[in-house]
Amino acid sequence: MRGKTHIVGGIAASLALAQLYQYDPGIAMGAGVVGALVPDICHSGSKIGRKFPLLSKLVNKVFGHRTFTHSLLFFAIIAFVLDIYLSNDAIRAGFLAGLASHLLLDMATKNGIQLLYPIKFTVRLPLTAKTGGKVESIVFAALSLLSFYLGYNAFAYYL
């Protein structure tokens, strides 16, 4: 999936979680966007890879693309580190929701991800789409509508 699809996926996931647990939606949403972009640090052409080119190249050289940073091991390490160093539940939950949405969206691509890294086993959903293809455009539109709906509900108090 492309960066914009990951961003809107992170927004939808974090807003849904914010409503479920009564977290501040703005904080959770911001953290969700960041969390949705972090796994692609292993790809120098990604939005985050272009912001941190040296780190991106290093991570790619050591692990490759869609391996460690797209795994349950990475998710667990990030969750552990956030739990130790971050006291704000909305940030932690939003970040992890965005990260989880990234993994799910990439499992819906033909290339899949190595979810069980370091075990070399590619995980794909039964229905997959080509990155940047028509199906991804439909997924992007659906996630955009869902994000708008969840955002309206979350921020209606301020309107």
Side-chain angles (χ1 to χ4, degrees):
M1 297 285 168
R2 295 178 296 178
K4 68 180 188 176
T5 305
H6 285 304
I7 289 170
V8 76
I11 290 170
S14 58
L15 284 175
L17 204 62
Q19 286 186 7
L20 189 62
Y21 291 101
Q22 303 301 307
Y23 295 138
D24 181 300
I27 292 172
M29 183 176 64
V33 168
V34 175
L37 294 175
V38 163
D40 276 343
I41 192 65
C42 62
H43 187 317
S44 61
S46 68
K47 288 187 182 298
I48 194 165
R50 289 190 308 268
K51 295 288 183 195
F52 302 98
L54 294 176
L55 179 60
S56 179
K57 288 176 184 173
L58 176 65
V59 172
N60 186 282
K61 186 170 180 85
V62 173
F63 299 107
H65 183 49
R66 290 189 178 182
T67 59
F68 173 65
T69 62
H70 286 69
S71 70
L72 292 175
L73 175 61
F74 182 73
F75 187 92
I77 290 169
I78 294 295
F80 179 74
V81 169
L82 291 178
D83 193 45
I84 290 174
Y85 293 107
L86 200 57
S87 62
N88 188 306
D89 290 339
I91 295 173
R92 280 196 318 256
F95 190 94
L96 293 174
L99 182 61
S101 75
H102 184 109
L103 301 182
L104 184 64
L105 286 168
D106 275 358
M107 281 192 286
T109 64
K110 295 187 184 301
N111 291 336
I113 62 172
Q114 288 188 22
L115 187 65
L116 304 175
Y117 183 87
I119 298 170
K120 292 186 187 286
F121 178 76
T122 301
V123 176
R124 285 179 212 82
L125 295 178
L127 297 173
T128 61
K130 180 181 173 192
T131 299
K134 290 180 183 180
V135 173
E136 182 178 351
S137 296
I138 293 168
V139 169
F140 174 78
L143 287 171
S144 296
L145 289 173
L146 179 61
S147 296
F148 180 77
Y149 172 77
L150 293 170
Y152 181 80
N153 285 339
F155 295 105
Y157 172 79
Y158 301 104
L159 299 177

